[in-house]
């Protein structure tokens, strides 16, 4: 059973940067496509970014393109989310997730079957 643990969240001022990490245990991430989602208070969980198993193709929510980069190091069994020029509207709990082998898309949370516990990102104005 794959276990995912996020880290790297925190409090940052608008315009600042954070790098989130998602470390896996109990499974080899290199076999799977991975995604990052976020959930702000009172809002639904939303897609942020995804990356295929090899790292060769990535997908992003339109509003984060150019500011957020997803990457992975399969040798370290870890997926990253580099977030630059952060805005107050980026404030949320960020979750990494493993895409189900039966999935047909990348943006729907229902396409992912294992989730981390989340890490809080707070951006002050």
């Amino acid at each position: 059973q794959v276990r995912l643990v996020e880290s790297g969240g925190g409090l940052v001022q608008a315009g600042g940067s954070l790098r989130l990490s998602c470390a896996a245990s109990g499974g080899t991430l290199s076999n799977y496509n991975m995604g990052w989602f976020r959930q702000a208070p009172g809002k639904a969980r939303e897609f942020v970014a995804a990356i295929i198993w090899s790292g060769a193709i990535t997908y992003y929510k339109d509003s984060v393109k150019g500011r957020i980069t997803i990457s992975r190091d399969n040798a370290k069994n870890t997926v990253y989310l580099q977030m630059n020029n952060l805005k107050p509207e980026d404030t949320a709990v960020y979750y990494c997730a493993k895409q189900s082998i039966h999935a047909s898309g990348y943006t729907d949370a229902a396409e992912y079957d294992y989730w981390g516990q989340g890490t809080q990102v707070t951006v002050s104005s």
Side-chain angles (χ1 to χ4, degrees):
Q1 179 139 343
V2 175
R3 181 170 178 258
L4 304 173
V5 178
E6 302 95 335
S7 61
L11 173 64
V12 63
Q13 288 188 332
S17 298
L18 284 173
R19 188 195 197 202
L20 307 184
S21 298
C22 172
S25 59
T28 302
L29 281 191
S30 60
N31 295 332
Y32 306 110
N33 302 330
M34 298 292 295
W36 284 94
F37 287 73
R38 66 187 181 188
Q39 187 166 19
K43 295 188 177 182
R45 191 169 297 191
E46 65 174 6
F47 170 77
V48 177
I51 186 167
I52 70 167
W53 64 274
S54 66
I57 300 175
T58 56
Y59 303 88
Y60 294 97
K61 176 182 173 63
D62 285 345
S63 64
V64 308
K65 287 179 181 177
R67 300 190 299 116
I68 290 179
T69 303
I70 188 170
S71 62
R72 64 193 300 160
D73 185 337
N74 287 337
K76 295 183 178 180
N77 229 21
T78 302
V79 179
Y80 304 98
L81 194 70
Q82 177 67 45
M83 303 189 295
N84 300 324
N85 190 23
L86 283 162
K87 304 177 180 182
E89 51 264 40
D90 294 317
T91 295
V93 177
Y94 283 71
Y95 300 88
C96 72
K98 169 194 150 311
Q99 191 190 41
S100 167
I101 60 173
H102 305 295
S104 58
Y106 293 91
T107 63
D108 189 345
E111 304 277 19
Y112 295 79
D113 53 7
Y114 288 92
W115 293 80
Q117 83 290 346
T119 186
Q120 175 71 47
V121 171
T122 303
V123 184
S124 63
S125 57

